[in-house]
Amino acid sequence: MSREQILNNAQIVLADEVVRGCVVLENGRIRDISTTLSQSPAAEDMQGDFLMPGFIELHTDNLERYMNPRPGVDWPSSAAVLAHDAQLVSSGITTVFDALSIGDVSPKQTRLAQLPKMIEAIGQGVRDGLTRSDHLLHLRCEVSHELTLQMFEELVDHELVRLVSVMDHTPGQRQFVKIEKYREYYQGKYHLSDAEMEAFIHKQTTNAAKYSEEFRKSIVGMCQSKGIALASHDDATADHVHESAAAGMTIAEFPTTREAADLSHKLGLNVLMGAPNIVRGGSHSGNIAAAELARHGVLDILSSDYYPSSLLQAVHGLATMEQGYSLPRAVSTVSLAPATAVGLHDRGEIAVGKRADLIQVKDLGKQYIVKQVFSQGQRVY
C-alpha cells in the first residue's frame, strides 16, 4: 500500500534556487514538488522553515571518539556505532561514509586494533536495521605503512566499501610540509619526548621510501578495476594533482595549497575541505583556508571530519560570508556534490524520483538548527 506524505509551507532548497511550497513523498521517494501550498488537512506544516536534502558525509572519523571516549577506555563497539549514528542523524547527515584508517601513523598504533571491531559493528548495525543514517565505508589507505596493502586486499570486497582515499602522512610533505607543525601535532597529541619524536620521524620517513609508491599504484589499480570511487589526500603541488587526475580520482581531499586546489577543480576533481575549517576560520595545520577557496569558487564539497554538526554550521557560514556561495550552492557542497562524486545518483537533492532524505532547518539568524530529519520518508529525528 502506498503511503503519501506532504511537507507543506517550506522554503525548499533545490539545486539552483529556493522556492516556497510543498513536497509530496510516496514510498520513500519524492513524488512531486509544488510552488503552491497544499490544502490537505493531512499535510505537515514546516512553518516556513528550510527544507534541505539530507547531508552526505564522505569523510568522518567521528566513530573513533565513541570507541575510545577516554585514553585507555575501549567502549563496546555496537553501542559506540549507535551513539555515533545518533549524533550524525541529529546533525542532518542521512548518508555517511565512515572513514576507517588502514595503516596507522600514530605512535600508539591504536587504529589498527580497532579496525576489525568497527567494521563488524557498522555492518551488524546496518544488517539489523538499527542505524538511522545510511552507513557506507571509506577506506583511508596510509601508503607508508608496511601492512596497508595486505589489509586493503582483505577488505576491498566488503559490501559497504564505496570510497577509497590514498594518503601519505610522511613528514616534510603534503599536510605537513612544515616539520614544526608535524612536531607540534604529534608531540601534542601523543605526549612524545623529543627523542621519541625523532625516532618516530625517522621510522615514518624510512617506511615511506620503502612502501609508498608501490602501495599507491597497487591500491589505485584495484579500485579502478572494481569501479570504486577514489580520492587523493593532501595534494600540495601540481605534480601531486596531475598524478591524482591520471589515476582517475574524482575527489581531492584537503588540498593544502591554493595551487593544488585550483588545478584539482580545473581538472575535474571535486575539491573537498573540512567544514570545521570554515567554522573556525582556518586550518589547524596552517594550510590553505577553505573560505579562501570558496571565495574563488573552487570549493566543491565539505566534510565534517571530526565534528558532525559543523556541516550545517559551515553551510550557514558559506551562505552568509562576504563573497560566499548562494544557499543552494552552499547546500550542494554537503549533498548533491558529494553524492555525484561517489556515484550515488539516487540522492543528494530535492528532485522528483530521488530518495526522500530531507532535513527541516530553522534559521535563527546567526545559525541554523535541525528540527526534523527524514530518511526515505521516515522521520528519524
Side-chain angles (χ1 to χ4, degrees):
M1 180 180 294
S2 65
R3 178 172 178 265
E4 180 184 273
Q5 300 163 262
I6 303 173
L7 304 182
N8 199 29
N9 187 27
Q11 295 185 71
I12 307 164
V13 183
L14 302 176
D16 55 2
E17 63 178 333
V18 179
V19 299
R20 189 99 175 206
C22 69
V23 177
V24 181
L25 317 179
E26 188 172 35
N27 297 332
R29 298 276 171 168
I30 297 170
R31 194 188 75 193
D32 187 40
I33 301 166
S34 175
T35 55
T36 59
L37 300 186
S38 173
Q39 301 303 311
S40 170
E44 182 175 353
D45 187 1
M46 296 285 102
Q47 302 176 332
D49 293 334
F50 290 119
L51 194 62
M52 298 180 182
F55 295 165
I56 296 172
E57 170 57 69
L58 296 185
H59 179 125
T60 178
D61 54 16
N62 185 63
L63 176 56
E64 293 179 2
R65 298 195 304 114
Y66 289 95
M67 296 287 292
N68 298 113
R70 287 189 176 181
V73 175
D74 292 325
W75 206 254
S77 53
S78 294
V81 166
L82 296 185
H84 161 62
D85 177 73
Q87 185 181 14
L88 295 175
V89 79
S90 71
S91 300
I93 297 168
T94 53
T95 299
V96 58
F97 285 67
D98 289 304
L100 306 181
S101 292
I102 299 179
D104 201 341
V105 292
S106 80
K108 307 298 183 182
Q109 296 282 302
T110 55
R111 282 177 161 173
L112 288 181
Q114 287 182 337
L115 183 62
K117 294 187 291 184
M118 289 194 288
I119 291 176
E120 174 56 29
I122 292 167
Q124 193 64 53
V126 171
R127 288 191 295 272
D128 291 345
L130 299 177
T131 53
R132 289 177 282 176
S133 291
D134 191 7
H135 286 254
L136 299 167
L137 295 181
H138 168 179
L139 299 182
R140 305 177 62 207
C141 299
E142 184 62 49
V143 294
S144 62
H145 192 277
E146 63 269 25
L147 296 179
T148 293
L149 183 57
Q150 175 189 332
M151 296 179 70
F152 178 76
E153 289 172 339
E154 294 171 357
L155 294 172
V156 66
D157 290 322
H158 191 286
E159 61 183 348
L160 296 181
V161 173
R162 297 291 293 272
L163 176 62
V164 169
S165 58
V166 182
M167 310 183 298
D168 188 347
H169 285 97
T170 305
Q173 50 96 54
R174 294 183 182 265
Q175 182 180 359
F176 293 107
V177 172
K178 300 175 182 177
I179 291 291
E180 63 270 21
K181 283 290 184 181
Y182 190 85
R183 294 180 190 278
E184 177 185 321
Y185 179 81
Y186 282 99
Q187 282 195 280
K189 185 172 183 178
Y190 298 107
H191 310 292
L192 305 178
S193 68
D194 287 345
E196 288 171 330
M197 189 67 212
E198 289 306 315
F200 178 60
I201 289 175
H202 176 73
K203 178 183 177 182
Q204 296 308 115
T205 304
T206 300
N207 282 352
K210 188 173 182 179
Y211 303 115
S212 290
E213 185 175 355
E214 176 193 349
F215 286 5
R216 177 187 173 88
K217 289 180 180 178
S218 296
I219 290 168
V220 166
M222 279 188 276
C223 289
Q224 289 173 335
S225 68
K226 295 174 183 294
I228 298 172
L230 275 162
S232 65
H233 193 83
D234 295 338
D235 284 350
T237 67
D239 286 344
H240 289 159
V241 176
H242 282 298
E243 182 180 41
S244 298
M249 296 184 179
T250 60
I251 300 166
E253 286 192 331
F254 313 114
T256 64
T257 64
R258 170 77 186 280
E259 174 192 22
D262 285 347
L263 184 57
S264 295
H265 185 82
K266 179 180 179 182
L267 294 180
L269 281 78
N270 291 270
V271 174
L272 180 153
M273 297 291 282
N277 190 310
I278 293 285
V279 176
R280 296 178 63 252
S283 164
H284 73 274
S285 300
N287 296 316
I288 191 71
E292 180 180 342
L293 300 184
R295 291 187 181 100
H296 289 89
V298 297
L299 173 63
D300 302 305
I301 297 173
L302 284 173
S303 160
S304 69
D305 199 2
Y306 57 88
Y307 207 102
S309 66
S310 66
L311 284 186
L312 186 57
Q313 290 177 282
V315 166
H316 182 273
L318 280 178
T320 57
M321 74 183 192
E322 187 176 351
Q323 294 179 292
Y325 286 176
S326 68
L327 181 58
R329 187 173 181 185
V331 170
S332 177
T333 66
V334 297
S335 55
L336 183 57
T340 302
V342 294
L344 291 179
H345 301 300
D346 63 342
R347 67 195 78 181
E349 65 176 321
I350 300 178
V352 173
K354 295 295 179 76
R355 279 174 48 135
D357 295 350
L358 302 163
I359 318 167
Q360 181 184 358
V361 173
K362 187 172 185 63
D363 184 359
L364 296 182
K366 291 186 177 181
Q367 70 178 59
Y368 296 150
I369 63 167
V370 175
K371 292 184 67 177
Q372 292 192 92
V373 180
F374 300 86
S375 177
Q376 297 190 83
Q378 298 292 319
R379 181 178 175 182
V380 292
Y381 176 78

